[in-house]
Amino acid sequence: METHISCLFPEILAIIFSYLDIKDKGRVAQVCAAWRDASYHKSVWRGVEAKLHLRRANPSLFPSLQTRGIKKVQILSLRRSLSYVIQGMPHIESLNLCGCFNLTDNGLGHAFVQDIPSLRVLNLSLCKQITDSSLGRIAQYLKNLEVLELGGCSNITNTGLLLIAWGLHRLRSLNLRSCRHVSDVGIGHLSGMTRSAAEGCLSLEKLTLQDCQKLTDLSLKHVSKGLNKLKVLNLSFCGGISDAGMIHLSHMTHLCSLNLRSCDNISDTGIMHLAMGSLQLSGLDVSFCDKIGDQSLAYIAQGLYQLKSLSLCSCHISDDGINRMVRQMHELKTLNIGQCVRITDKGLELIADNLTQLTEIDLYGCTRITKRGLERITQLPCLKVLNLGLWQMTESERVRSRGSGKQTL
């Protein structure tokens, strides 16, 4: 007796279909009624985000999504009212409106008119017409929100952050990239420094303040005092913070990742402050900080030796700095030293001899290294990615080049 795939139980078909990509999940539903029914099982679509162009009315769209248990939606283009989505998916958990340039406060206000307790993630990045008015609606009706993306929403002000601090106490992640009007006062609101007006977002674990040019060291003082659960802090391109601000951050024991890329006023002294504190950082990025030199590497070796990822691109470091650092950095897996033009083959040999756990290294623009140094680096036992320019050497290429005795550059 022959066994055909059509004889399988629907539950077994659903398990098989769950491994398909999204397009193929849709295609199997068109094969026959049995496959359609199996493909609509909620386990097939678990975790899938529907990507939609809202251009014209489609009465079957949202009932179909709900039948399949889809609760995450990304709107690729918005030519209908946002309330159309909210009404059609009352149990929505994630709403991504990134890049919906035509979304206005009025449109968002018509959509958020009552509590939506299921919504946990809202992405409004690059929705440039959104202002503090919308944040008032969000704070009022999305009390269970855990992730809020506002990157590029350049009309947001400190008043908007006060509203967030008042209403979104469960927030875990907040992105304020390039919110140019945000200042120390707004960060104070988030950190609970104005308890008479707002409790603050004291459960924040990730805060992105990239390119918020009005921030100073006072913001870091607020963060260190109020946001004790913070794990990830991105301060890249914040030109107003300085070495003194690092003193405030140096005792944030839960902080795992700190991004100081292109913070022009951070120098070796700032790294000294970080290293002398009680930090347990696993990731540090000080790329393009012109005042970072070899002394910083000595401080890192003394107090930040538990780092797993370190980015020093375009910093004024040399082989001497590498020598002072590598013997203590036993856990380092990712090292980015691209455009560090003082690094030579000697530095690569020190790296190869000591950083045996490295899986990834960036050497783009290191003009003083030669084939000899690269040969040593490619012998690292765990190395998977070697970036030398516009391409990357993968692990398989490294193995092939080692076997043939040639290096692919």
Side-chain angles (χ1 to χ4, degrees), residues 248-296:
H248 301 304
L249 299 183
S250 65
H251 297 291
M252 296 187 69
T253 54
H254 288 90
L255 196 63
C256 297
S257 176
L258 179 60
N259 191 335
L260 299 170
R261 173 179 287 247
S262 292
C263 292
D264 296 335
N265 292 315
I266 300 298
S267 71
D268 294 337
T269 303
I271 303 303
M272 178 190 70
H273 292 322
L274 294 176
M276 291 178 63
S278 51
L279 287 172
Q280 295 295 316
L281 287 181
S282 60
L284 176 63
D285 189 344
V286 290
S287 297
F288 303 100
C289 293
D290 294 338
K291 299 174 182 177
I292 297 292
D294 288 339
Q295 186 59 50
S296 285

mmCIF file of all heavy atoms in Angstrom, residues 248-296:
data_model
loop_
_atom_site.group_PDB
_atom_site.id
_atom_site.type_symbol
_atom_site.label_atom_id
_atom_site.label_comp_id
_atom_site.label_asym_id
_atom_site.label_seq_id
_atom_site.Cartn_x
_atom_site.Cartn_y
_atom_site.Cartn_z
ATOM 1 N N HIS A 248 29.390 59.265 35.799
ATOM 2 C CA HIS A 248 28.016 58.887 36.145
ATOM 3 C C HIS A 248 27.691 57.474 35.663
ATOM 4 O O HIS A 248 27.020 56.699 36.357
ATOM 5 C CB HIS A 248 27.029 59.881 35.549
ATOM 6 C CG HIS A 248 27.223 61.290 36.003
ATOM 7 N ND1 HIS A 248 27.212 61.655 37.327
ATOM 8 C CD2 HIS A 248 27.462 62.436 35.301
ATOM 9 C CE1 HIS A 248 27.418 62.960 37.435
ATOM 10 N NE2 HIS A 248 27.580 63.453 36.215
ATOM 11 N N LEU A 249 28.167 57.131 34.469
ATOM 12 C CA LEU A 249 27.843 55.822 33.897
ATOM 13 C C LEU A 249 28.650 54.686 34.514
ATOM 14 O O LEU A 249 28.246 53.523 34.431
ATOM 15 C CB LEU A 249 28.093 55.836 32.383
ATOM 16 C CG LEU A 249 27.285 56.825 31.543
ATOM 17 C CD1 LEU A 249 27.611 56.637 30.066
ATOM 18 C CD2 LEU A 249 25.790 56.664 31.771
ATOM 19 N N SER A 250 29.762 55.020 35.137
ATOM 20 C CA SER A 250 30.720 53.989 35.540
ATOM 21 C C SER A 250 30.223 53.051 36.632
ATOM 22 O O SER A 250 30.835 52.001 36.865
ATOM 23 C CB SER A 250 32.027 54.649 36.013
ATOM 24 O OG SER A 250 31.811 55.416 37.186
ATOM 25 N N HIS A 251 29.113 53.396 37.280
ATOM 26 C CA HIS A 251 28.601 52.537 38.349
ATOM 27 C C HIS A 251 27.238 51.929 38.007
ATOM 28 O O HIS A 251 26.520 51.479 38.898
ATOM 29 C CB HIS A 251 28.524 53.324 39.659
ATOM 30 C CG HIS A 251 29.863 53.791 40.142
ATOM 31 N ND1 HIS A 251 30.830 52.924 40.619
ATOM 32 C CD2 HIS A 251 30.414 55.037 40.176
ATOM 33 C CE1 HIS A 251 31.905 53.606 40.955
ATOM 34 N NE2 HIS A 251 31.684 54.887 40.693
ATOM 35 N N MET A 252 26.890 51.915 36.724
ATOM 36 C CA MET A 252 25.628 51.286 36.291
ATOM 37 C C MET A 252 25.886 49.793 36.081
ATOM 38 O O MET A 252 26.281 49.349 35.009
ATOM 39 C CB MET A 252 25.114 51.959 35.018
ATOM 40 C CG MET A 252 24.755 53.424 35.212
ATOM 41 S SD MET A 252 23.963 54.148 33.773
ATOM 42 C CE MET A 252 22.367 53.279 33.786
ATOM 43 N N THR A 253 25.652 49.028 37.118
ATOM 44 C CA THR A 253 26.083 47.626 37.153
ATOM 45 C C THR A 253 25.350 46.727 36.159
ATOM 46 O O THR A 253 25.847 45.656 35.829
ATOM 47 C CB THR A 253 25.913 47.057 38.568
ATOM 48 O OG1 THR A 253 24.562 47.262 39.006
ATOM 49 C CG2 THR A 253 26.852 47.760 39.542
ATOM 50 N N HIS A 254 24.164 47.140 35.687
ATOM 51 C CA HIS A 254 23.423 46.314 34.741
ATOM 52 C C HIS A 254 23.763 46.647 33.283
ATOM 53 O O HIS A 254 23.347 45.936 32.375
ATOM 54 C CB HIS A 254 21.911 46.462 34.957
ATOM 55 C CG HIS A 254 21.409 45.808 36.208
ATOM 56 N ND1 HIS A 254 21.330 46.457 37.410
ATOM 57 C CD2 HIS A 254 20.993 44.540 36.445
ATOM 58 C CE1 HIS A 254 20.868 45.642 38.332
ATOM 59 N NE2 HIS A 254 20.657 44.473 37.781
ATOM 60 N N LEU A 255 24.517 47.715 33.069
ATOM 61 C CA LEU A 255 24.817 48.141 31.702
ATOM 62 C C LEU A 255 25.740 47.133 31.020
ATOM 63 O O LEU A 255 26.812 46.812 31.527
ATOM 64 C CB LEU A 255 25.474 49.524 31.726
ATOM 65 C CG LEU A 255 25.510 50.283 30.401
ATOM 66 C CD1 LEU A 255 24.099 50.583 29.920
ATOM 67 C CD2 LEU A 255 26.302 51.592 30.565
ATOM 68 N N CYS A 256 25.295 46.637 29.864
ATOM 69 C CA CYS A 256 26.060 45.625 29.116
ATOM 70 C C CYS A 256 26.708 46.201 27.856
ATOM 71 O O CYS A 256 27.779 45.750 27.453
ATOM 72 C CB CYS A 256 25.150 44.469 28.715
ATOM 73 S SG CYS A 256 24.444 43.550 30.087
ATOM 74 N N SER A 257 26.039 47.171 27.234
ATOM 75 C CA SER A 257 26.523 47.689 25.953
ATOM 76 C C SER A 257 26.472 49.208 25.966
ATOM 77 O O SER A 257 25.449 49.800 26.296
ATOM 78 C CB SER A 257 25.666 47.140 24.802
ATOM 79 O OG SER A 257 26.056 47.696 23.559
ATOM 80 N N LEU A 258 27.596 49.845 25.589
ATOM 81 C CA LEU A 258 27.701 51.304 25.564
ATOM 82 C C LEU A 258 28.290 51.742 24.235
ATOM 83 O O LEU A 258 29.374 51.302 23.848
ATOM 84 C CB LEU A 258 28.590 51.786 26.713
ATOM 85 C CG LEU A 258 28.827 53.297 26.817
ATOM 86 C CD1 LEU A 258 27.520 54.044 26.998
ATOM 87 C CD2 LEU A 258 29.789 53.606 27.964
ATOM 88 N N ASN A 259 27.558 52.592 23.529
ATOM 89 C CA ASN A 259 27.991 53.088 22.222
ATOM 90 C C ASN A 259 28.317 54.579 22.334
ATOM 91 O O ASN A 259 27.426 55.399 22.575
ATOM 92 C CB ASN A 259 26.893 52.858 21.178
ATOM 93 C CG ASN A 259 27.383 53.117 19.755
ATOM 94 O OD1 ASN A 259 28.322 53.874 19.542
ATOM 95 N ND2 ASN A 259 26.730 52.497 18.783
ATOM 96 N N LEU A 260 29.592 54.906 22.152
ATOM 97 C CA LEU A 260 30.071 56.288 22.207
ATOM 98 C C LEU A 260 30.664 56.724 20.872
ATOM 99 O O LEU A 260 31.461 57.662 20.809
ATOM 100 C CB LEU A 260 31.128 56.428 23.309
ATOM 101 C CG LEU A 260 30.662 56.122 24.739
ATOM 102 C CD1 LEU A 260 31.848 56.049 25.681
ATOM 103 C CD2 LEU A 260 29.668 57.174 25.212
ATOM 104 N N ARG A 261 30.285 56.068 19.813
ATOM 105 C CA ARG A 261 30.838 56.346 18.480
ATOM 106 C C ARG A 261 30.680 57.830 18.122
ATOM 107 O O ARG A 261 29.609 58.418 18.287
ATOM 108 C CB ARG A 261 30.122 55.474 17.457
ATOM 109 C CG ARG A 261 30.466 55.767 16.000
ATOM 110 C CD ARG A 261 29.723 54.841 15.072
ATOM 111 N NE ARG A 261 30.284 53.493 15.122
ATOM 112 C CZ ARG A 261 30.925 52.896 14.117
ATOM 113 N NH1 ARG A 261 31.111 53.544 12.972
ATOM 114 N NH2 ARG A 261 31.372 51.676 14.228
ATOM 115 N N SER A 262 31.766 58.414 17.666
ATOM 116 C CA SER A 262 31.777 59.811 17.203
ATOM 117 C C SER A 262 31.350 60.806 18.281
ATOM 118 O O SER A 262 30.793 61.856 17.968
ATOM 119 C CB SER A 262 30.888 59.977 15.961
ATOM 120 O OG SER A 262 31.436 59.299 14.855
ATOM 121 N N CYS A 263 31.597 60.468 19.531
ATOM 122 C CA CYS A 263 31.431 61.436 20.627
ATOM 123 C C CYS A 263 32.755 62.172 20.764
ATOM 124 O O CYS A 263 33.700 61.691 21.402
ATOM 125 C CB CYS A 263 31.046 60.724 21.923
ATOM 126 S SG CYS A 263 29.390 59.998 21.888
ATOM 127 N N ASP A 264 32.843 63.343 20.166
ATOM 128 C CA ASP A 264 34.123 64.017 19.957
ATOM 129 C C ASP A 264 34.832 64.420 21.242
ATOM 130 O O ASP A 264 36.050 64.635 21.238
ATOM 131 C CB ASP A 264 33.918 65.260 19.084
ATOM 132 C CG ASP A 264 33.434 64.915 17.686
ATOM 133 O OD1 ASP A 264 33.710 63.785 17.242
ATOM 134 O OD2 ASP A 264 32.780 65.756 17.050
ATOM 135 N N ASN A 265 34.084 64.546 22.341
ATOM 136 C CA ASN A 265 34.692 65.012 23.582
ATOM 137 C C ASN A 265 35.074 63.886 24.538
ATOM 138 O O ASN A 265 35.426 64.145 25.689
ATOM 139 C CB ASN A 265 33.744 65.992 24.286
ATOM 140 C CG ASN A 265 33.590 67.291 23.516
ATOM 141 O OD1 ASN A 265 34.566 67.867 23.050
ATOM 142 N ND2 ASN A 265 32.361 67.734 23.348
ATOM 143 N N ILE A 266 34.990 62.645 24.072
ATOM 144 C CA ILE A 266 35.417 61.496 24.885
ATOM 145 C C ILE A 266 36.878 61.197 24.585
ATOM 146 O O ILE A 266 37.268 61.035 23.427
ATOM 147 C CB ILE A 266 34.547 60.256 24.602
ATOM 148 C CG1 ILE A 266 33.081 60.548 24.930
ATOM 149 C CG2 ILE A 266 35.054 59.059 25.398
ATOM 150 C CD1 ILE A 266 32.831 60.880 26.390
ATOM 151 N N SER A 267 37.680 61.129 25.643
ATOM 152 C CA SER A 267 39.115 60.893 25.485
ATOM 153 C C SER A 267 39.558 59.736 26.372
ATOM 154 O O SER A 267 38.738 59.039 26.978
ATOM 155 C CB SER A 267 39.891 62.165 25.855
ATOM 156 O OG SER A 267 39.840 62.385 27.267
ATOM 157 N N ASP A 268 40.861 59.555 26.478
ATOM 158 C CA ASP A 268 41.413 58.514 27.354
ATOM 159 C C ASP A 268 40.917 58.676 28.794
ATOM 160 O O ASP A 268 40.703 57.690 29.505
ATOM 161 C CB ASP A 268 42.942 58.584 27.347
ATOM 162 C CG ASP A 268 43.544 58.229 25.993
ATOM 163 O OD1 ASP A 268 42.869 57.529 25.219
ATOM 164 O OD2 ASP A 268 44.678 58.663 25.722
ATOM 165 N N THR A 269 40.714 59.912 29.219
ATOM 166 C CA THR A 269 40.234 60.163 30.583
ATOM 167 C C THR A 269 38.850 59.561 30.804
ATOM 168 O O THR A 269 38.560 58.987 31.856
ATOM 169 C CB THR A 269 40.203 61.673 30.869
ATOM 170 O OG1 THR A 269 41.505 62.226 30.668
ATOM 171 C CG2 THR A 269 39.742 61.950 32.293
ATOM 172 N N GLY A 270 37.987 59.681 29.820
ATOM 173 C CA GLY A 270 36.654 59.096 29.923
ATOM 174 C C GLY A 270 36.705 57.586 30.044
ATOM 175 O O GLY A 270 35.951 56.980 30.836
ATOM 176 N N ILE A 271 37.572 56.956 29.269
ATOM 177 C CA ILE A 271 37.737 55.503 29.358
ATOM 178 C C ILE A 271 38.296 55.113 30.724
ATOM 179 O O ILE A 271 37.907 54.093 31.299
ATOM 180 C CB ILE A 271 38.655 54.995 28.226
ATOM 181 C CG1 ILE A 271 38.089 55.406 26.859
ATOM 182 C CG2 ILE A 271 38.803 53.483 28.310
ATOM 183 C CD1 ILE A 271 36.681 54.930 26.587
ATOM 184 N N MET A 272 39.165 55.938 31.259
ATOM 185 C CA MET A 272 39.689 55.694 32.605
ATOM 186 C C MET A 272 38.551 55.676 33.621
ATOM 187 O O MET A 272 38.475 54.778 34.479
ATOM 188 C CB MET A 272 40.700 56.766 32.991
ATOM 189 C CG MET A 272 41.254 56.612 34.407
ATOM 190 S SD MET A 272 42.221 58.038 34.957
ATOM 191 C CE MET A 272 40.908 59.278 35.134
ATOM 192 N N HIS A 273 37.636 56.643 33.525
ATOM 193 C CA HIS A 273 36.499 56.685 34.445
ATOM 194 C C HIS A 273 35.656 55.412 34.334
ATOM 195 O O HIS A 273 35.240 54.837 35.351
ATOM 196 C CB HIS A 273 35.635 57.905 34.156
ATOM 197 C CG HIS A 273 36.290 59.214 34.476
ATOM 198 N ND1 HIS A 273 37.092 59.398 35.575
ATOM 199 C CD2 HIS A 273 36.254 60.418 33.817
ATOM 200 C CE1 HIS A 273 37.521 60.653 35.607
ATOM 201 N NE2 HIS A 273 37.043 61.283 34.538
ATOM 202 N N LEU A 274 35.395 54.974 33.115
ATOM 203 C CA LEU A 274 34.601 53.754 32.912
ATOM 204 C C LEU A 274 35.305 52.542 33.511
ATOM 205 O O LEU A 274 34.687 51.688 34.161
ATOM 206 C CB LEU A 274 34.354 53.528 31.421
ATOM 207 C CG LEU A 274 33.471 54.550 30.691
ATOM 208 C CD1 LEU A 274 33.409 54.220 29.200
ATOM 209 C CD2 LEU A 274 32.065 54.593 31.276
ATOM 210 N N ALA A 275 36.608 52.465 33.304
ATOM 211 C CA ALA A 275 37.376 51.300 33.753
ATOM 212 C C ALA A 275 37.505 51.250 35.272
ATOM 213 O O ALA A 275 37.622 50.160 35.850
ATOM 214 C CB ALA A 275 38.771 51.322 33.115
ATOM 215 N N MET A 276 37.458 52.396 35.917
ATOM 216 C CA MET A 276 37.626 52.444 37.368
ATOM 217 C C MET A 276 36.324 52.200 38.134
ATOM 218 O O MET A 276 36.339 52.066 39.356
ATOM 219 C CB MET A 276 38.212 53.808 37.774
ATOM 220 C CG MET A 276 39.654 54.016 37.343
ATOM 221 S SD MET A 276 40.281 55.655 37.782
ATOM 222 C CE MET A 276 40.180 55.597 39.572
ATOM 223 N N GLY A 277 35.227 52.125 37.425
ATOM 224 C CA GLY A 277 33.936 51.914 38.074
ATOM 225 C C GLY A 277 33.618 50.450 38.274
ATOM 226 O O GLY A 277 34.509 49.588 38.296
ATOM 227 N N SER A 278 32.327 50.154 38.382
ATOM 228 C CA SER A 278 31.869 48.777 38.628
ATOM 229 C C SER A 278 31.128 48.198 37.436
ATOM 230 O O SER A 278 30.296 47.313 37.584
ATOM 231 C CB SER A 278 30.986 48.747 39.875
ATOM 232 O OG SER A 278 29.955 49.729 39.791
ATOM 233 N N LEU A 279 31.403 48.722 36.250
ATOM 234 C CA LEU A 279 30.750 48.245 35.027
ATOM 235 C C LEU A 279 31.115 46.797 34.715
ATOM 236 O O LEU A 279 32.233 46.358 35.000
ATOM 237 C CB LEU A 279 31.150 49.117 33.836
ATOM 238 C CG LEU A 279 30.549 50.531 33.775
ATOM 239 C CD1 LEU A 279 31.195 51.309 32.641
ATOM 240 C CD2 LEU A 279 29.036 50.466 33.572
ATOM 241 N N GLN A 280 30.165 46.103 34.076
ATOM 242 C CA GLN A 280 30.407 44.750 33.565
ATOM 243 C C GLN A 280 30.076 44.720 32.081
ATOM 244 O O GLN A 280 29.322 43.869 31.606
ATOM 245 C CB GLN A 280 29.557 43.733 34.339
ATOM 246 C CG GLN A 280 29.903 43.604 35.806
ATOM 247 C CD GLN A 280 31.291 43.042 36.019
ATOM 248 O OE1 GLN A 280 31.692 42.077 35.358
ATOM 249 N NE2 GLN A 280 32.043 43.635 36.935
ATOM 250 N N LEU A 281 30.635 45.667 31.347
ATOM 251 C CA LEU A 281 30.320 45.801 29.922
ATOM 252 C C LEU A 281 30.760 44.577 29.131
ATOM 253 O O LEU A 281 31.840 44.041 29.347
ATOM 254 C CB LEU A 281 31.014 47.028 29.332
ATOM 255 C CG LEU A 281 30.490 48.419 29.691
ATOM 256 C CD1 LEU A 281 31.314 49.474 28.973
ATOM 257 C CD2 LEU A 281 29.013 48.563 29.323
ATOM 258 N N SER A 282 29.912 44.186 28.172
ATOM 259 C CA SER A 282 30.311 43.166 27.205
ATOM 260 C C SER A 282 30.548 43.777 25.832
ATOM 261 O O SER A 282 31.184 43.160 24.980
ATOM 262 C CB SER A 282 29.238 42.073 27.102
ATOM 263 O OG SER A 282 27.998 42.620 26.689
ATOM 264 N N GLY A 283 30.045 45.007 25.610
ATOM 265 C CA GLY A 283 30.244 45.676 24.327
ATOM 266 C C GLY A 283 30.535 47.152 24.507
ATOM 267 O O GLY A 283 29.848 47.842 25.256
ATOM 268 N N LEU A 284 31.583 47.648 23.820
ATOM 269 C CA LEU A 284 31.958 49.062 23.880
ATOM 270 C C LEU A 284 32.371 49.530 22.488
ATOM 271 O O LEU A 284 33.183 48.881 21.822
ATOM 272 C CB LEU A 284 33.115 49.274 24.856
ATOM 273 C CG LEU A 284 33.682 50.700 24.960
ATOM 274 C CD1 LEU A 284 32.632 51.666 25.485
ATOM 275 C CD2 LEU A 284 34.933 50.731 25.829
ATOM 276 N N ASP A 285 31.792 50.661 22.057
ATOM 277 C CA ASP A 285 32.131 51.235 20.751
ATOM 278 C C ASP A 285 32.576 52.678 20.957
ATOM 279 O O ASP A 285 31.796 53.529 21.389
ATOM 280 C CB ASP A 285 30.904 51.199 19.832
ATOM 281 C CG ASP A 285 31.231 51.576 18.388
ATOM 282 O OD1 ASP A 285 32.310 52.157 18.151
ATOM 283 O OD2 ASP A 285 30.407 51.286 17.506
ATOM 284 N N VAL A 286 33.843 52.945 20.667
ATOM 285 C CA VAL A 286 34.375 54.308 20.727
ATOM 286 C C VAL A 286 34.971 54.699 19.371
ATOM 287 O O VAL A 286 35.875 55.537 19.289
ATOM 288 C CB VAL A 286 35.430 54.465 21.849
ATOM 289 C CG1 VAL A 286 34.779 54.397 23.216
ATOM 290 C CG2 VAL A 286 36.531 53.416 21.731
ATOM 291 N N SER A 287 34.473 54.090 18.326
ATOM 292 C CA SER A 287 34.969 54.380 16.980
ATOM 293 C C SER A 287 34.833 55.874 16.652
ATOM 294 O O SER A 287 33.870 56.524 17.057
ATOM 295 C CB SER A 287 34.188 53.566 15.947
ATOM 296 O OG SER A 287 34.372 52.190 16.134
ATOM 297 N N PHE A 288 35.817 56.395 15.935
ATOM 298 C CA PHE A 288 35.825 57.780 15.457
ATOM 299 C C PHE A 288 35.862 58.802 16.594
ATOM 300 O O PHE A 288 35.477 59.961 16.404
ATOM 301 C CB PHE A 288 34.635 58.049 14.528
ATOM 302 C CG PHE A 288 34.602 57.114 13.350
ATOM 303 C CD1 PHE A 288 33.761 56.003 13.351
ATOM 304 C CD2 PHE A 288 35.434 57.310 12.257
ATOM 305 C CE1 PHE A 288 33.742 55.118 12.289
ATOM 306 C CE2 PHE A 288 35.426 56.435 11.185
ATOM 307 C CZ PHE A 288 34.574 55.328 11.199
ATOM 308 N N CYS A 289 36.274 58.370 17.771
ATOM 309 C CA CYS A 289 36.559 59.298 18.871
ATOM 310 C C CYS A 289 38.023 59.695 18.747
ATOM 311 O O CYS A 289 38.927 58.929 19.115
ATOM 312 C CB CYS A 289 36.274 58.640 20.222
ATOM 313 S SG CYS A 289 34.524 58.290 20.517
ATOM 314 N N ASP A 290 38.285 60.879 18.226
ATOM 315 C CA ASP A 290 39.639 61.291 17.850
ATOM 316 C C ASP A 290 40.602 61.364 19.024
ATOM 317 O O ASP A 290 41.828 61.343 18.828
ATOM 318 C CB ASP A 290 39.600 62.652 17.153
ATOM 319 C CG ASP A 290 38.874 62.605 15.821
ATOM 320 O OD1 ASP A 290 38.777 61.497 15.259
ATOM 321 O OD2 ASP A 290 38.404 63.658 15.347
ATOM 322 N N LYS A 291 40.073 61.471 20.235
ATOM 323 C CA LYS A 291 40.932 61.642 21.403
ATOM 324 C C LYS A 291 41.235 60.330 22.125
ATOM 325 O O LYS A 291 41.846 60.336 23.193
ATOM 326 C CB LYS A 291 40.300 62.641 22.368
ATOM 327 C CG LYS A 291 40.106 64.032 21.756
ATOM 328 C CD LYS A 291 39.356 64.967 22.686
ATOM 329 C CE LYS A 291 39.128 66.317 22.031
ATOM 330 N NZ LYS A 291 38.331 67.218 22.906
ATOM 331 N N ILE A 292 40.803 59.220 21.545
ATOM 332 C CA ILE A 292 41.086 57.904 22.120
ATOM 333 C C ILE A 292 42.416 57.393 21.563
ATOM 334 O O ILE A 292 42.610 57.341 20.346
ATOM 335 C CB ILE A 292 39.963 56.897 21.791
ATOM 336 C CG1 ILE A 292 38.647 57.342 22.420
ATOM 337 C CG2 ILE A 292 40.344 55.497 22.249
ATOM 338 C CD1 ILE A 292 38.621 57.281 23.922
ATOM 339 N N GLY A 293 43.339 57.014 22.478
ATOM 340 C CA GLY A 293 44.635 56.523 22.039
ATOM 341 C C GLY A 293 45.066 55.278 22.794
ATOM 342 O O GLY A 293 44.245 54.579 23.410
ATOM 343 N N ASP A 294 46.342 55.013 22.783
ATOM 344 C CA ASP A 294 46.886 53.789 23.386
ATOM 345 C C ASP A 294 46.604 53.701 24.886
ATOM 346 O O ASP A 294 46.429 52.603 25.429
ATOM 347 C CB ASP A 294 48.391 53.719 23.144
ATOM 348 C CG ASP A 294 48.729 53.407 21.697
ATOM 349 O OD1 ASP A 294 47.859 52.861 20.995
ATOM 350 O OD2 ASP A 294 49.868 53.712 21.281
ATOM 351 N N GLN A 295 46.554 54.837 25.566
ATOM 352 C CA GLN A 295 46.317 54.798 27.005
ATOM 353 C C GLN A 295 44.938 54.214 27.317
ATOM 354 O O GLN A 295 44.762 53.520 28.327
ATOM 355 C CB GLN A 295 46.422 56.208 27.598
ATOM 356 C CG GLN A 295 46.339 56.252 29.117
ATOM 357 C CD GLN A 295 47.433 55.434 29.783
ATOM 358 O OE1 GLN A 295 48.611 55.572 29.465
ATOM 359 N NE2 GLN A 295 47.047 54.566 30.706
ATOM 360 N N SER A 296 43.981 54.451 26.439
ATOM 361 C CA SER A 296 42.647 53.871 26.631
ATOM 362 C C SER A 296 42.707 52.353 26.621
ATOM 363 O O SER A 296 41.996 51.681 27.380
ATOM 364 C CB SER A 296 41.690 54.353 25.540
ATOM 365 O OG SER A 296 41.295 55.691 25.758
#
